[in-house]
Each structure stands twice: as structure tokens, then as C-alpha cells.
């Protein structure tokens, strides 16, 4: 397959490392004589023709920048056959023979839909939730985790000074990977994730009691947003044992900031591999990591995979040991 003109977009929630990934795609493409165009504002940009030419200068000095220079958005119109046909028409009109989409599962479902119209697509996992089941690692996760860890470490200082209980809500939508990783890193008293059924007495109250009986006077409860409101959790703790927990919702601060070294390197390798796959004649693939290696999987097969709590725990331990 001869690749002449690639479009690249970022879609869904932004993640630190998207810019280094775009940079790697553009530089790899240009090195191999392939034109590269940025599709702004996700699939909406492809529908509306919001496209700019990318060159060495346009991706210079972005490896250290958070967010995405291509902007991002979610597109309801692209979920319809009419919207998809508009996107295909844009590709044909501008001569885009391939599209590389950086984002989460919604982004990949969009790419898979586009592929059914004959457009070559490659997906690159970029989401702080780290909930793409076919890969051990997603761009943005490491930075988000480090941000949450830094915030909780600071919070712990004041909680310890006042001998208080703190309930911290981290992002992750309906996935608990980020909460589990962060909870392990900060030595949380308890971690609540949506993939596991919560027995409040066993999983929270008894752990606080055990900590107190072992001489601790402050307690850190990390809650994934998919479990429910941190305020509700705090109220239940108060009603059960009389503590007056302080609630902190970290929110979108976890998505911001300069990408970590790990996110920059992984994003660069994934962007490079995406272009290599297209040049090798491969399409409809998701770039992923497996047991420390960078590889790829069929996009339809990858979207069918599920990451249960056991697999999540294995991935957490692998991430913690740097595998």
C-alpha cells in the first residue's frame, strides 16, 4: 500500500502525551516522504474540513506541552451514517488515504466505522483512564497518576497534622485503573473501584478501624469516580463511625500539565509505529503495548476485549515494576 497523505486527529478527552505523539507521527511521515495533515477538533474536524498542514515547524517544541495542539471534541454527528459519509467525502476530496486517530474506545469505534468506507485507519490509545483492554498502557496515564499522587501526598501532610480522614475522588469514568494505581502508590487506607463489588463495612470501615488499632490517626480513602460521589462516601463514614472526613475531588487537573518522561517516550514510539504500520500495508489496527513490547492488534478484535479486575491488578503491578 502506497501512503501519500496522512491525516491525524485527537478525539475524546485530552491526555498528556498527545502532542508528543502527533509530533512523532508528523516527523516519521515527513522523513518517509509522506504529507501529514492535522484534523482539528476530532471527528467534527473531519466532517467540517477543519484541517491544517503539519510540518517540522508546526510540531516543534510541543513534546513538553500538555493538552493537544489539534484540540479535541466528541462528535454526535459522526455517530450517524450521514456524518460518517461527510467525513469520508472530506478524505476523498483532500486525498487523505489514511487517518491516525489518538484517543479512547469511542475514538476507535469512530475509526472502525470510517474503515468500513475504505479509509485506512490506525488507532493510538490516549486516555488517562487506561481502560483500553487490548493494551497494557495508554498515553497520558502516567502523567495523570503522578499528578494525583503529588496532590494526595500534599493532602496527606495536612490530614496527618489534624488527624483526619480524607476521601479523594480521582478520574477514570467507569474504570478503576487510575484509582487502584494511585491508591497503591500513596499507601491508601482503602481504594474503591467500580469493577469490584463494594462491601462498605469490610472495605472501608474495618480498614479504618484496623489502621486506628495499629496506631494510625489519619486515613486516606481513594475513590474512582465510577464508584459514586466522594461526598456520599464521606457521609457514610461519618454515619458509621463518627469521623468527619474531608472530601477532595481532583477533577480535570489530572488531565493537565506537561507529560511525564514515560508518556513522552511511549507516545513517540506509538506514533512512530503507527506510520510504520501504514507503510507496511497494515490498516485497521490499534497500536498497543503487551508485556513491555510495542505491537498492534486488529481494531475490531481489540474493541471486543474486556479488562476485568484481575487483569487490572496484573497491569497495575506490571506498571509499578516498570514492565
Amino acid at each position: 500500500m502506497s501512503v501519500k497523505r496522512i491525516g491525524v486527529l485527537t478525539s475524546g478527552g485530552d491526555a498528556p502525551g498527545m502532542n508528543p505523539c502527533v509530533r512523532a507521527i508528523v516527523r516519521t511521515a515527513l522523513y518517509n516522504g509522506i504529507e501529514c495533515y492535522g484534523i482539528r477538533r476530532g471527528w467534527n474536524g473531519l466532517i467540517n474540513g477543519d484541517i491544517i498542514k503539519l510540518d517540522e515547524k508546526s510540531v516543534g517544541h510541543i513534546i513538553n506541552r500538555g493538552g493537544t495542539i489539534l484540540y479535541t471534541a466528541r462528535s454526535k454527528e459522526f455517530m450517524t451514517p450521514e456524518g460518517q459519509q461527510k467525513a469520508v467525502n472530506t478524505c476523498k476530496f483532500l486525498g487523505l488515504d489514511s487517518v491516525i486517530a489518538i484517543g479512547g474506545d469511542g475514538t476507535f469505534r469512530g475509526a472502525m466505522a470510517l474503515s468500513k468506507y475504505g479509509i485506512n485507519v490506525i488507532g493510538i490509545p490516549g486516555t488517562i483512564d487506561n481502560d483500553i483492554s487490548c493494551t497494557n498502557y495508554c498515553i497520558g496515564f502516567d502523567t495523570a497518576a503522578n499528578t494525583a499522587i503529588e496532590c494526595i501526598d500534599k493532602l496527606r501532610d495536612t490530614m496527618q497534622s489534624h488527624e483526619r480522614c480524607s476521601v479523594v475522588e480521582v478520574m477514570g469514568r467507569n474504570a478503576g485503573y487510575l484509582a487502584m494505581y494511585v491508591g497503591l502508590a500513596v499507601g491508601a487506607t482503602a481504594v474503591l473501584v467500580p469493577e469490584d463489588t463494594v462491601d462498605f463495612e469490610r472495605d472501608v470501615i474495618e480498614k479504618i478501624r484496623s489502621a486506628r488499632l495499629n496506631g494510625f490517626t489519619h486515613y486516606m480513602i481513594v475513590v474512582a469516580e465510577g464508584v459514586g460521589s466522594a461526598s456520599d462516601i464521606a457521609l457514610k463514614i461519618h454515619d458509621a463511625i463518627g469521623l468527619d472526613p474531608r472530601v477532595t475531588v481532583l477533577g480535570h487537573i489530572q488531565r493537565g500539565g506537561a507529560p511525564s518522561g514515560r508518556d513522552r517516550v511511549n507516545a513517540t514510539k506509538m506514533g512512530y509505529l503507527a506510520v510504520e504500520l501504514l507503510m507496511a500495508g497494515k490498516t485497521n489496527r490499534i497500536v498497543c503495548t503487551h508485556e513491555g513490547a510495542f505491537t498492534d492488534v486488529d481494531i475490531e478484535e481489540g474493541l471486543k476485549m474486556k479488562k476485568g479486575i484481575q487483569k487490572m491488578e496484573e497491569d497495575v503491578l506490571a506498571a509499578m515494576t516498570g514492565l
Side-chain angles (χ1 to χ4, degrees):
M1 179 176 71
S2 176
V3 184
K4 297 180 179 179
R5 193 168 293 147
I6 294 174
V8 56
L9 62 83
T10 52
S11 179
D14 64 314
M18 284 182 165
N19 281 331
C21 191
V22 170
R23 173 182 178 272
I25 291 167
V26 172
R27 294 198 168 192
T28 304
L30 294 177
Y31 180 80
N32 289 282
I34 302 169
E35 293 181 25
C36 201
Y37 290 82
I39 302 164
R40 302 198 299 182
R41 300 175 179 86
W43 297 117
N44 274 334
L46 196 56
I47 290 173
N48 300 319
D50 187 3
I51 294 174
I52 57 171
K53 188 169 185 178
L54 298 174
D55 54 23
E56 291 276 358
K57 185 176 181 181
S58 61
V59 297
H61 307 295
I62 67 170
I63 194 169
N64 61 317
R65 289 173 57 183
T68 164
I69 63 167
L70 297 178
Y71 308 107
T72 184
R74 292 182 171 88
S75 175
K76 290 184 178 180
E77 185 178 4
F78 190 75
M79 296 170 66
T80 67
E82 295 77 13
Q84 292 164 13
Q85 187 60 61
K86 287 181 182 179
V88 171
N89 292 343
T90 299
C91 289
K92 291 181 178 180
F93 179 70
L94 297 177
L96 297 178
D97 50 54
S98 307
V99 173
I100 299 176
I102 309 167
D105 56 357
T107 302
F108 297 158
R109 293 187 192 283
M112 186 170 65
L114 194 66
S115 72
K116 297 185 186 302
Y117 293 87
I119 306 298
N120 303 312
V121 298
I122 300 290
I124 299 178
T127 167
I128 69 167
D129 304 336
N130 211 38
D131 59 349
I132 307 300
S133 300
C134 62
T135 184
N136 297 134
Y137 189 83
C138 298
I139 295 169
F141 172 75
D142 188 63
T143 307
N146 286 336
T147 297
I149 290 166
E150 181 181 0
C151 290
I152 292 173
D153 283 346
K154 291 180 177 180
L155 187 61
R156 184 189 294 278
D157 291 342
T158 185
M159 291 298 103
Q160 185 173 11
S161 298
H162 292 272
E163 299 182 313
R164 283 176 175 158
C165 175
S166 181
V167 180
V168 181
E169 182 181 311
V170 300
M171 295 182 79
R173 290 192 303 170
N174 295 317
Y177 192 101
L178 183 61
M180 186 178 290
Y181 186 98
V182 169
L184 184 59
V186 301
T189 308
V191 181
L192 305 183
V193 297
E195 292 83 357
D196 208 6
T197 302
V198 177
D199 181 325
F200 200 78
E201 179 68 22
R202 178 198 66 197
D203 298 331
V204 180
I205 301 305
E206 278 301 319
K207 288 187 177 180
I208 292 175
R209 286 193 181 116
S210 177
R212 182 64 186 92
L213 291 170
N214 281 288
F216 294 95
T217 57
H218 65 284
Y219 321 98
M220 185 66 65
I221 314 300
V222 175
V223 181
E225 62 182 346
V227 172
S229 166
S231 296
D232 291 342
I233 300 296
L235 183 59
K236 290 178 71 174
I237 292 173
H238 178 269
D239 291 343
I241 52 178
L243 289 179
D244 187 19
R246 295 297 187 265
V247 174
T248 303
V249 179
L250 295 182
H252 286 76
I253 190 174
Q254 294 160 96
R255 281 191 183 169
S260 66
R262 187 180 185 193
D263 272 329
R264 298 183 198 191
V265 171
N266 282 357
T268 298
K269 289 182 177 180
M270 286 179 162
Y272 170 82
L273 180 55
V275 179
E276 288 285 306
L277 288 171
L278 289 171
M279 291 193 301
K282 291 187 176 184
T283 184
N284 305 342
R285 313 293 292 179
I286 296 176
V287 176
C288 54
T289 63
H290 181 66
E291 296 181 351
F294 288 84
T295 182
D296 59 282
V297 65
D298 177 79
I299 195 166
E300 190 167 357
E301 178 184 339
L303 285 171
K304 288 180 181 177
M305 295 180 183
K306 303 296 181 184
K307 182 184 288 188
I309 189 70
Q310 184 175 354
K311 179 64 168 62
M312 187 188 304
E313 289 171 349
E314 292 171 357
D315 282 354
V316 165
L317 292 175
M320 290 294 287
T321 54
L323 297 179

